[in-house]
Amino acid sequence: MIYFVLLVIWVMFADVICKKAAVSNRKKLYCWLVFIPAALLMGLRSRYVGGVDTNWYYIPTFKKVCNYSWDEIFTLFEGKDIGFYIVEKLFTYISDDPYAFIFVVSLFIVGSYTLFVYRYSAQPVISFFVYFALGYYTAGFQLIRHMLSISILLFAYPYILNKKPVKFILIVLLASTFHSSALVFLLAYPLAFARIGWKQWLIVVATVVVSYAFGSRVFTTLEGLLGDSDRYGKFTTGDYGSEMSIVGFLIILCVYVASYITIGKRKRRLPESRVLFNLSAISLSFMSMVILLGEFWRISMFFGMYNTLLLPTALTEHYRSAKNKNVAATLILLICTMLIIYFIVFRLENDMLSSYEFFWDDVYI
């Protein structure tokens, strides 16, 4: 846990350094200063850190891919996130070390998000706090294919804002070759510019009601459709879904409400703000359905990543328009403190990252 605590401290300290630095682009410097330790922490991890996926699936699969021919790749993984295995096979021409592959993948996952923050965040330090608290950073320690698809989808954001459907669809299709569930992000384009109001909330409330009032019936249907699937089957049993749903839904709801209250009516009506609020609402809707199927948490992440832009946008606007700057600054500090506490106290334990080891400490290869 100590390494993640140090990372959080560095995220805050680097912001202070950059504000005092005599450089022309402080935002760029800050993003570099955060990217390096965040990527190293993810990329140099032990195979046993952050759940079992790296040790039980990704490293064994990488070793198998090293020995597969291209014909075997397309035969064995046809229709199963083929883009990931193509990249994996191409990497084997550079190195057959699975740890090297994990390191490079981590650079891309953290790097694409950092670039996303640099280009679009109103306040990068708050973006990283939300990124940590909502579990999007820690997910990269285990859900490699899924996080690669999300990383690719981040590049679709400008095509939503600028209403370029062809380029948007192409990026979504590319992301779906790493994780097929990325196709659900196609919903983002037609729903992104919906008017923020009672209809939006009606949809969120309706999904919550369906999830909790009729959960058993819908669950039975989903179990029949997905229960035999290796990918989804483990999410349809036990209390995993309900525990994840309640906590995850509430934290995203808090981010949405805090943003809605603080952003102000004028800023809220702007196209970019409307897109962010709508994507956040979609993430809330999917998160409410985790009680039915755990996979909805992953689907919620496709849209929830934009909460890391929404909250900084709202809090920055609140501070700019506030008559009492001290009160506004105190509110921002309080929200950031809550995000940090949630990350350290709950998120790390929940994502099995309370203990950390580097890959060179592994005793079994």
Side-chain angles (χ1 to χ4, degrees):
M1 182 180 293
I2 184 62
Y3 295 109
F4 295 99
V5 173
L6 291 174
L7 177 62
V8 169
I9 293 173
W10 176 248
V11 168
M12 294 184 287
F13 186 62
D15 186 55
V16 176
I17 293 176
C18 292
K19 287 179 179 178
K20 296 182 178 180
V23 295
S24 58
N25 195 334
R26 293 185 176 89
K27 188 177 183 181
K28 187 174 186 179
L29 174 62
Y30 176 77
C31 287
W32 271 109
L33 289 177
V34 174
F35 161 73
I36 293 172
L40 290 177
L41 196 60
M42 183 185 293
L44 298 178
R45 69 184 185 275
S46 161
R47 64 193 294 164
Y48 307 111
V49 168
V52 300
D53 282 21
T54 301
N55 183 46
W56 286 4
Y57 180 76
Y58 287 108
I59 287 182
T61 300
F62 179 86
K63 291 181 177 180
K64 292 177 182 178
V65 168
C66 287
N67 299 316
Y68 287 159
S69 67
W70 279 106
D71 288 338
E72 289 175 311
I73 293 292
F74 287 106
T75 301
L76 294 172
F77 302 111
E78 181 182 5
K80 298 179 180 179
D81 309 325
I82 188 64
F84 173 77
Y85 299 106
I86 290 175
V87 170
E88 202 169 38
K89 181 60 178 177
L90 288 173
F91 187 83
T92 63
Y93 290 105
I94 301 173
S95 172
D96 61 357
D97 185 350
Y99 288 111
F101 180 69
I102 290 172
F103 181 75
V104 172
V105 166
S106 299
L107 290 180
F108 180 76
I109 291 174
V110 180
S112 60
Y113 177 72
T114 304
L115 182 62
F116 178 70
V117 168
Y118 171 69
R119 288 175 173 174
Y120 307 111
S121 177
Q123 189 58 256
V125 64
I126 301 177
S127 287
F128 281 109
F129 288 154
V130 180
Y131 181 57
F132 294 157
L134 294 186
Y136 303 148
Y137 173 63
T138 53
F141 286 73
Q142 182 173 196
L143 310 177
I144 293 178
R145 286 184 296 114
H146 185 75
M147 292 310 299
L148 280 172
S149 67
I150 288 180
S151 299
I152 294 170
L153 288 178
L154 293 178
F155 293 95
Y157 182 56
Y159 303 124
I160 298 176
L161 292 178
N162 299 320
K163 297 183 178 180
K164 296 183 177 181
V166 175
K167 292 182 178 180
F168 169 80
I169 292 172
L170 288 175
I171 290 180
V172 174
L173 292 177
L174 175 61
S176 71
T177 66
F178 287 81
H179 204 284
S180 57
S181 62
L183 288 171
V184 76
F185 196 69
L186 290 171
L187 290 172
Y189 194 87
L191 298 178
F193 290 95
R195 180 176 298 180
I196 302 170
W198 67 270
K199 291 182 180 180
Q200 183 187 63
W201 278 105
L202 182 62
I203 295 174
V204 175
V205 172
T207 55
V208 174
V209 171
V210 169
S211 298
Y212 289 88
F214 306 101
S216 60
R217 296 180 183 178
V218 180
F219 174 82
T220 301
T221 303
L222 290 171
E223 189 175 36
L225 293 172
L226 304 172
D228 295 329
S229 169
D230 293 336
R231 173 177 292 177
Y232 305 113
K234 65 181 179 180
F235 293 110
T236 59
T237 58
D239 297 326
Y240 178 82
S242 60
E243 293 174 0
M244 182 186 295
S245 178
I246 294 172
V247 178
F249 179 83
L250 289 178
I251 190 68
I252 296 176
L253 179 62
C254 288
V255 170
Y256 185 99
V257 172
S259 301
Y260 191 88
I261 293 173
T262 58
I263 197 170
K265 292 183 179 180
R266 183 191 64 83
K267 186 72 172 180
R268 192 187 305 149
R269 293 170 180 169
L270 296 178
E272 185 173 352
S273 298
R274 184 182 296 183
V275 168
L276 294 176
F277 273 109
N278 280 311
L279 293 177
S280 179
I282 298 172
S283 73
L284 270 172
S285 296
F286 280 116
M287 198 64 199
S288 71
M289 293 188 286
V290 172
I291 192 171
L292 304 178
L293 186 67
E295 184 69 9
F296 281 121
W297 171 63
R298 298 192 186 196
I299 293 175
S300 175
M301 291 173 65
F302 291 126
F303 306 92
M305 289 291 290
Y306 296 88
N307 285 304
T308 68
L309 298 185
L310 176 60
L311 186 61
T313 298
L315 294 181
T316 301
E317 179 63 20
H318 177 67
Y319 183 80
R320 288 174 180 172
S321 60
K323 294 180 180 179
N324 191 323
K325 301 294 185 183
N326 291 331
V327 173
T330 301
L331 175 63
I332 295 172
L333 180 62
L334 178 62
I335 292 175
C336 289
T337 301
M338 293 175 64
L339 290 171
I340 293 169
I341 292 174
Y342 178 79
F343 171 64
I344 294 174
V345 174
F346 176 80
R347 191 81 256 172
L348 292 176
E349 180 68 27
N350 185 68
D351 293 336
M352 293 173 279
L353 287 168
S354 55
S355 60
Y356 181 91
E357 292 183 346
F358 293 100
F359 77 88
W360 52 75
D361 294 321
D362 287 350
V363 295
Y364 170 76
I365 301 299

